[in-house]
Amino acid sequence: MTLEQPLMGRRITIRSYRREDLDFCTGMWFDPENGKYMSDPEAAFVDERFQRALDGLQDAKDGYYLIAEEQGERIGTCCAFPDEAGKVWDIGYCVRKDLWRQGFGREIVETLSDWIRERGGTAITAEAARENAASCGLLERCGFRVKEESVFQKYHMDVRFDAFIFEKKL
């Protein structure tokens, strides 16, 4: 799915993912530090199936893969997946590690939240590893509350994380 027009935050613009964004995205997602708490694997664990999925992100029919930019420079990624009714949306986000703790994650989440509310969404969920204090804190500062506990595993890796499913009512 692609955005009808870019989303505007205070400092950032969020636009639809394009094929030429792949190296930027995987550079973050597969990085052992930047992607530590994501379900994406490290580069050594990417198989053909996963690569095919990456190669088709721009054609996703079930959700939005997005790029966050500041003044035209890519600073992070995010995604949003609506339920069938378009009421409850699940989001994810990742900020380049050299830009951590500068408020970009919060601005991404707030910009997505505003857009989802405008589209008639009534709730947003986001999963964060329990030990990822930065992401858990960010979600709480953005008005999310823990809805339930979960566990997720990095793709094709023997790495599991106890996690929280956060929810924000709109």
Side-chain angles (χ1 to χ4, degrees):
M1 301 169 89
T2 58
L3 297 172
E4 295 168 9
Q5 60 188 27
L7 311 179
M8 305 303 293
R10 291 181 317 278
R11 297 177 295 167
I12 65 168
T13 300
I14 297 176
R15 64 165 173 82
S16 292
Y17 169 89
R18 298 185 294 248
R19 190 179 302 265
E20 59 266 23
D21 295 316
L22 183 59
D23 288 342
F24 168 75
C25 295
T26 57
M28 285 193 314
W29 300 342
F30 297 168
D31 180 84
E33 183 180 13
N34 213 135
K36 178 177 181 177
Y37 296 114
M38 297 179 71
S39 60
D40 300 291
E42 293 177 13
F45 294 88
V46 173
D47 61 9
E48 283 184 42
R49 179 175 170 232
F50 196 88
Q51 188 63 53
R52 277 193 309 277
L54 289 172
D55 291 340
L57 290 178
Q58 69 282 348
D59 300 321
K61 303 286 188 237
D62 60 342
Y64 297 84
Y65 288 95
L66 307 165
I67 301 296
E69 297 179 328
E70 182 191 37
Q71 298 179 351
E73 180 182 351
R74 293 179 285 212
I75 61 157
T77 63
C78 52
C79 57
F81 297 89
D83 67 5
E84 287 186 23
K87 297 296 181 187
V88 179
W89 293 65
D90 189 56
I91 64 168
Y93 51 88
C94 182
V95 175
R96 266 184 14 216
K97 65 184 172 186
D98 63 307
L99 298 173
W100 286 353
R101 303 213 179 274
Q102 294 183 34
F104 289 115
R106 183 172 185 159
E107 189 167 348
I108 288 169
V109 171
E110 289 175 346
T111 302
L112 285 176
S113 296
D114 291 345
W115 176 68
I116 291 166
R117 184 181 301 107
E118 290 168 8
R119 295 181 63 85
T122 58
I124 303 171
T125 60
E127 185 173 36
R130 180 187 296 258
E131 66 186 66
N132 186 350
S135 193
C136 291
L138 181 151
L139 290 167
E140 289 173 348
R141 285 189 301 280
C142 288
F144 287 73
R145 297 294 170 250
V146 173
K147 177 182 176 183
E148 61 189 82
E149 296 183 8
S150 67
V151 176
F152 70 90
Q153 180 173 343
K154 290 183 86 57
Y155 182 85
H156 276 307
M157 295 178 66
D158 190 25
V159 177
R160 287 181 175 74
F161 291 102
D162 290 329
F164 296 116
I165 304 290
F166 286 85
E167 180 179 55
K168 179 179 181 175
K169 300 285 188 184
L170 300 175

